[in-house]
Amino acid sequence: MFDTLIAVFQNNGLIVSFALVGIIMYISYKISDKLTRGRLHGSAIAIVFGLLLAYLGGIHTGGEKGLADIQLFSGIGLMGGGMLRDFAIVSTAFGASFEEIKKAGVSGVISLFAGVIVSFFVGVTIAILFGYTDAVSLTTIGAGAVTYIVGPVTGAAVGASSEVMALSIAAGLVKSILVMIGTPFVAKYIGLNNPRTALVFGGLMGTTSGVAGGLAATDPKLVPYGAMTATFYTGLGCLLCPSVLFLIMKSFF
């Protein structure tokens, strides 16, 4: 009976992966609600669980794809692959309206460009400190510091290695978690208490999941505003990093 059940799971890997993610999200939000009273958002906890499971899966199998190297959880590889990643980018973009972002005014537009460029060059600086000197790697890791979606999109466009693309995703995840955790603690010091500042904040930080999670723990009413500009930030990063910023890196390295 047990062997039959395992066989069914192995033959329906994608369904198992959705179920696993659903269970992790449920547990994470329960922990967020009961132990932190919402101050640490459930998404941040879920990301930590995901990273831990990927690490344990890699240690167990000695493979390169984390939990997806275990046959029972092979569907995780598809669920976290390029197809659904690109679908997430497109679906997120469809949820944004250019008419709405104009409400943030010039400050909102400036925050978008400033957020992408500053994050990119912070990522590039860290990459240089760790010994990377070629334009492709520097651009990919810098793009990962923009967001963990922009990183692999840029890496695929400029021909980065899988190891460098993995580093770019890790950089974006660290940023997302920091934004989720830190937003409620700094909100009162930066005046993050109204839709206009939420729009600017989303443009500066850019990580949609981080901004949404951080604002949800601060004031749920601000989430749509921050997430809106964060969505445009992701799109802008996917445009600038593989093109303009890559050419800048190529001219210096």
Side-chain angles (χ1 to χ4, degrees), residues 20-244:
L20 177 62
V21 170
I23 292 170
I24 291 173
M25 292 299 295
Y26 177 79
I27 294 173
S28 299
Y29 275 84
K30 283 294 183 182
I31 292 174
S32 173
D33 182 48
K34 301 297 182 182
L35 299 183
T36 72
R37 296 183 180 180
R39 301 301 290 179
L40 180 58
H41 199 263
S43 297
I45 298 173
I47 289 175
V48 173
F49 273 136
L51 292 173
L52 178 61
L53 288 174
Y55 173 77
L56 293 176
I59 292 296
H60 177 71
T61 63
E64 300 178 352
K65 298 180 180 179
L67 201 62
D69 283 320
I70 301 175
Q71 188 177 359
L72 181 62
F73 303 112
S74 59
I76 294 288
L78 177 60
M79 187 179 184
M83 180 183 69
L84 289 181
R85 177 201 67 204
D86 294 342
F87 173 77
I89 295 171
V90 173
S91 63
T92 303
F94 267 99
S97 168
F98 188 72
E99 293 299 320
E100 292 295 329
I101 196 173
K102 289 195 294 186
K103 294 179 182 179
V106 176
S107 58
V109 176
I110 292 175
S111 71
L112 283 173
F113 283 91
V116 170
I117 293 171
V118 170
S119 294
F120 178 83
F121 282 105
V122 168
V124 168
T125 301
I126 294 173
I128 292 173
L129 293 175
F130 277 89
Y132 290 92
T133 56
D134 62 290
V136 170
S137 296
L138 292 175
T139 302
T140 303
I141 295 173
V146 174
T147 77
Y148 58 79
I149 291 178
V150 176
V153 168
T154 300
V158 301
S161 66
S162 58
E163 291 81 4
V164 171
M165 290 175 67
L167 285 174
S168 74
I169 295 172
L173 285 172
V174 170
K175 176 184 176 181
S176 180
I177 293 172
L178 289 176
V179 172
M180 282 185 192
I181 295 173
T183 299
F185 298 101
V186 302
K188 65 179 180 180
Y189 300 107
I190 62 175
L192 188 56
N193 54 14
N194 61 80
R196 184 179 179 83
T197 55
L199 283 165
V200 174
F201 180 76
L204 286 172
M205 295 295 101
T207 168
T208 307
S209 57
V211 168
L215 289 177
T218 304
D219 183 353
K221 294 180 181 179
L222 300 179
V223 172
Y225 300 97
M228 185 187 306
T229 44
T231 299
F232 279 95
Y233 173 105
T234 300
L236 183 63
C238 289
L239 288 174
L240 289 181
C241 291
S243 55
V244 176

